[in-house]
Amino acid sequence: MSNRKLGLAVAQMGPVHLTDSRSAVVLRLVAMLQEAKARGAEMVVFPELALTTFFPRYWMDESEAQARFFEAQMPNPEVQPLFDEARKLGVGFYLGYAELAEDGRPYNTCILVNRNGEIAGRYRKIHLPGHADLKSDVPFQHLEKKYFDVGNLGFRVFESEAVKYGMCLCNDRRWPETYRVLALQSAEVVMLGYNTPSLNIHWNEPVHLRTSTHLISLQANAYQNGVWVAAAGKCGSEDGHHMIGSSVIVAPTGEIVARTLTEEDEVICVSADLSLGEHFRQHVFNFAKHRRPEHYRLIVDRVGAGEPLP
Ligand code: CDV
């Protein structure tokens, strides 16, 4: 078995307020990239929609949202310093942002940038939570279904600097299908960013469960797929709207090996032994040997739960 190590960091972000400029946010990202590199990182994971506040909580016209919060080019002059620093330091990163694609379609997107500062992979969020209509009886909205199209690139694995990376975004982390599709492409590390409000506007969920279900999803899926999972949150109170922290790096054992302590900008970093994932994939989760896809048909044939099979 190989003994391959990856310096893997998660750069959690504290709040980004409505009045914060992109340039100010990028300065924070650059500072965390530098700290991560000094602590041995080769890959740094930033949150979902890292450049702006979590704007799907606000109702506005799509055209206004796109003008204020979306990027039509990546990199663009405001974000370029992050790409430049990555190349200078020789460190890669994952970054979530709102993308206005060339054809004008809006996506909740993340990119993989390699150690040369080049975009080496792109993912557009598939599991979009929330609603598209205005809810008048809740303290805030969750309008991802209004502002974003469902991602059209699938779950893909990108090999960069000899590491196989899978990417997803926030709500995707709660769906086992996400990780399994990536693991079937031999992903070694799954990277994700998230913005998870501490209050659930859809049903009355105790606040502690928000963190508990976040961690359960990451830990179970890391273990069941033999992958490292690196999850970066944007957290704390954005203009009075609180989001959970608890950004983590999870080993293929399902154990949390690093976890943030604060709800502010904070870097955690580990030396991730990629051979640990190989161990699980060759034994208990040896897919080629043990999977029985002929008995999993319903997973792709049905969307919602229905009647028992005849
Ligand atoms: N940004 C997200 O996708 N947030 C969801 C919330 C709505 C539950 C999440 O799964 O954390």
Side-chain angles (χ1 to χ4, degrees), residues 48 54 125 129 142 144 170-171 173-174 195-197 210:
E48 174 191 46
F54 188 68
K125 188 172 180 178
H142 196 109
E144 290 195 57
C170 198
N171 194 259
R173 77 195 187 285
R174 303 183 192 273
N195 287 263
T196 298
R210 304 294 272 174

Side-chain angles (χ1 to χ4, degrees), residues 10-16 25-26 28-29 32 46-52 95 232-236 238 243-245 247 263-266:
V10 157
Q12 172 179 281
M13 296 176 71
V16 176
V25 170
V26 168
R28 289 165 56 184
L29 301 183
M32 287 200 283
F46 292 115
E48 174 191 46
L49 299 177
L51 301 174
T52 63
L95 179 74
K234 179 144 61 61
C235 58
E238 288 190 336
M243 298 187 293
I244 66 166
S247 302
E263 292 180 346
E264 296 161 11
D265 290 6
E266 181 180 342

Side-chain angles (χ1 to χ4, degrees), residues 83-264:
F83 282 69
D84 292 344
E85 194 66 16
R87 195 170 48 161
K88 187 176 124 201
L89 297 173
V91 60
F93 66 88
Y94 160 115
L95 179 74
Y97 67 98
E99 175 195 16
L100 206 55
E102 273 178 17
D103 61 5
R105 307 211 74 90
Y107 297 104
N108 188 343
T109 293
C110 59
I111 46 172
L112 167 65
V113 175
N114 67 22
R115 296 175 202 166
N116 289 323
E118 299 155 346
I119 295 178
R122 179 181 304 271
Y123 168 73
R124 292 171 174 155
K125 188 172 180 178
I126 288 174
H127 298 105
L128 294 174
H131 47 99
D133 56 321
L134 178 65
K135 305 268 181 222
S136 52
D137 53 348
V138 289
F140 58 90
Q141 310 290 310
H142 196 109
L143 295 164
E144 290 195 57
K145 287 192 192 298
K146 172 177 165 71
Y147 295 133
F148 302 117
D149 285 6
V150 173
N152 61 350
L153 300 176
F155 294 105
R156 290 187 49 210
V157 167
F158 303 95
E159 185 159 352
S160 182
E161 280 109 9
V163 180
K164 294 189 178 74
Y165 295 100
M167 301 195 285
C168 66
L169 279 158
C170 198
N171 194 259
D172 290 321
R173 77 195 187 285
R174 303 183 192 273
W175 299 88
E177 292 87 346
T178 300
Y179 305 81
R180 186 49 57 91
V181 171
L182 293 171
L184 283 168
Q185 299 169 73
S186 307
E188 297 173 294
V189 181
V190 174
M191 305 186 290
L192 64 103
Y194 62 92
N195 287 263
T196 298
S198 300
L199 291 179
N200 187 335
I201 59 170
H202 302 291
W203 66 91
N204 188 15
E205 184 178 57
V207 171
H208 78 275
L209 279 186
R210 304 294 272 174
T211 299
S212 168
T213 56
H214 154 67
L215 295 176
I216 285 171
S217 303
L218 303 175
Q219 292 182 256
N221 283 289
Y223 166 64
Q224 289 167 351
N225 293 284
V227 291
W228 285 86
V229 175
K234 179 144 61 61
C235 58
S237 180
E238 288 190 336
D239 296 304
H241 300 280
H242 192 265
M243 298 187 293
I244 66 166
S246 293
S247 302
V248 286
I249 300 175
V250 183
T253 56
E255 292 164 297
I256 295 171
V257 291
R259 177 173 177 169
T260 53
L261 292 170
T262 70
E263 292 180 346
E264 296 161 11

